[in-house]
Amino acid sequence: MGVLRKLLRFFGIGSGGTLKELARRLDLDFEALAAVKPQYRRYTIPKRNGGLRAICAPEPELKKVQRRILRRLLKRLKSHPAATGFEAGRSIVTNANAHVGAAVVLRMDIKDFFTSTRRSRIRRYFLRIGWNRLAARLLTDLCTYDDGLPQGAPTSPRLSNLVNYRLDVRLAAAAKKLNAVYTRYADDMTFSFATERPRVVSKAIRQTKLILADYDYRIHHKLKLSIRRRHQQQRVTGLVVNERVNLPRKKRRWLRAVRRHHQTGRASSLTQQQLAGWTAIEKMVADQAKQQAGIPHCRGSMS
């Protein structure tokens, strides 16, 4: 076996799962898998806070393969508990609940998160979980675009959590030393502190910048960095966390007004279908907040 591994390394293949094994795991014909072309449609959509977001949507054939990769290869792999986005059993409520009742809530945003998650890191991840060089390269070709994760591919959210496991470990450890709680929802990082100590908050920002730099990430310095204290409205992933997890008061009042307009037949800013969507979100927040209200969380951990 040792001689075989040396030969595989000599020919640049490496040991681990083969292309044939990859095709079998995906339940695809090998020739058909190898023939899939990583092609995308590029367009932009408005961001919630202004500006445009670039979307790279995979062509239908590629998207089908990516969904198989997600379902058959990535679904059961382990992400860090602090990563609350795109994970089964975790949500914006899970993310917000960890920071309820804090003296200070610090939020930072990773700039160009998906596209800054480099192809080389994705390839190393596939090698690390057991695929040989040829299989890892094919998987990387199928899941990346223009040297990063394409925002629009079904595999990108899950891969962004898996490949950043070590990043989350380091940020959670840094938070623990500062007696803080850390969570991450995609590119949105939150630290919360039981006491108000400006020097500690400043140290958390400095350490986060240094750790992110090791992974080719940067934070939005002015636009997305927020420090909120108890006397201010503290929001985490769009939810208020001062005393309990809830939609912002302004949003709740707006929804009540929209419902009254629908009930009285007046013109409304939402269609019936859109209102139903918002009602479902409101119910989800209320139900999950009630379920998670009794879950203890301590400064510096997500366990």
Side-chain angles (χ1 to χ4, degrees):
M1 183 62 72
V3 174
L4 177 58
R5 286 179 178 172
K6 288 180 181 179
L7 285 171
L8 289 170
R9 291 194 190 98
F10 177 80
F11 287 109
I13 299 173
S15 58
T18 64
L19 287 171
K20 184 177 179 181
E21 171 65 11
L22 176 60
R24 186 192 69 78
R25 291 276 299 274
L26 296 177
D27 193 23
L28 291 170
D29 179 76
F30 171 71
E31 286 74 16
L33 177 62
V36 175
K37 296 180 180 179
Q39 295 179 329
Y40 295 82
R41 292 178 292 107
R42 302 190 69 164
Y43 58 92
T44 58
I45 60 173
K47 290 183 179 180
R48 184 176 57 183
N49 297 324
L52 296 173
R53 187 185 306 280
I55 301 295
C56 293
E59 293 294 341
E61 185 180 14
L62 174 61
K63 191 171 186 177
K64 288 180 182 178
V65 174
Q66 288 174 339
R67 282 175 171 163
R68 283 176 180 254
I69 292 172
L70 176 63
R71 186 172 63 253
R72 294 170 178 264
L73 302 185
L74 305 179
K75 185 177 180 179
R76 296 185 180 180
L77 297 176
K78 186 179 179 181
S79 63
H80 194 276
T84 57
F86 323 120
E87 297 292 330
R90 306 177 208 172
S91 67
I92 59 172
V93 182
T94 311
N95 191 59
N97 185 65
H99 306 285
V100 170
V104 179
V105 173
L106 164 66
R107 287 181 47 234
M108 291 178 278
D109 190 86
I110 302 173
K111 188 174 182 180
D112 302 322
F113 177 59
F114 286 105
T115 55
S116 295
T117 305
R118 302 301 180 198
R119 172 188 170 90
S120 58
R121 294 183 60 209
I122 302 301
R123 181 176 176 274
R124 286 197 299 270
Y125 178 77
F126 283 128
L127 288 169
R128 192 162 65 247
I129 64 174
W131 296 103
N132 72 18
R133 293 178 187 175
L134 291 178
R137 185 168 64 189
L138 178 57
L139 281 167
T140 303
D141 288 343
L142 293 170
C143 295
T144 63
Y145 177 71
D146 197 19
D147 195 32
L149 290 176
Q151 191 158 353
T155 44
S156 291
R158 186 78 174 113
L159 274 172
S160 72
N161 282 345
L162 295 172
V163 78
N164 281 311
Y165 188 95
R166 181 59 186 164
L167 169 68
D168 290 326
V169 166
R170 292 178 64 186
L171 289 173
K176 187 174 184 178
K177 288 181 180 179
L178 298 174
N179 195 30
V181 169
Y182 160 75
T183 63
R184 179 178 60 81
Y185 194 98
D187 58 352
D188 191 348
M189 300 172 295
T190 305
F191 295 80
S192 59
F193 306 82
T195 57
E196 186 173 335
R197 293 182 293 168
R199 289 184 180 180
V200 173
V201 175
S202 296
K203 188 174 182 179
I205 296 170
R206 290 196 303 272
Q207 290 186 352
T208 299
K209 288 179 181 179
L210 290 172
I211 293 171
L212 289 177
D214 289 340
Y215 302 89
D216 293 325
Y217 291 137
R218 294 177 296 158
I219 68 168
H220 282 280
H221 288 279
K222 294 182 179 180
L223 294 177
K224 301 289 183 73
L225 195 153
S226 169
I227 302 171
R228 308 290 284 182
R229 296 168 177 84
R230 276 201 179 103
H231 67 277
Q232 300 169 305
Q233 189 183 76
Q234 298 169 327
R235 290 195 194 186
V236 177
T237 43
L239 302 175
V240 177
V241 297
N242 291 70
E243 297 179 1
R244 61 189 177 91
V245 176
N246 207 347
L247 286 174
R249 182 179 299 173
K250 186 176 179 180
K251 184 70 70 177
R252 300 198 308 271
R253 287 175 175 172
W254 170 71
L255 282 171
R256 285 198 295 269
V258 170
R259 289 191 185 100
R260 283 197 297 271
H261 279 223
H262 276 268
Q263 291 167 358
T264 58
R266 287 181 288 172
S268 172
S269 56
L270 293 180
T271 65
Q272 190 66 47
Q273 187 175 8
Q274 289 170 329
L275 177 58
W278 271 107
T279 300
I281 292 173
E282 189 176 32
K283 185 177 186 304
M284 179 203 75
V285 170
D287 290 348
Q288 291 190 15
K290 187 181 296 183
Q291 291 170 6
Q292 297 178 20
I295 299 175
H297 54 268
C298 60
R299 301 289 125 190
S301 75
M302 270 292 295
S303 57

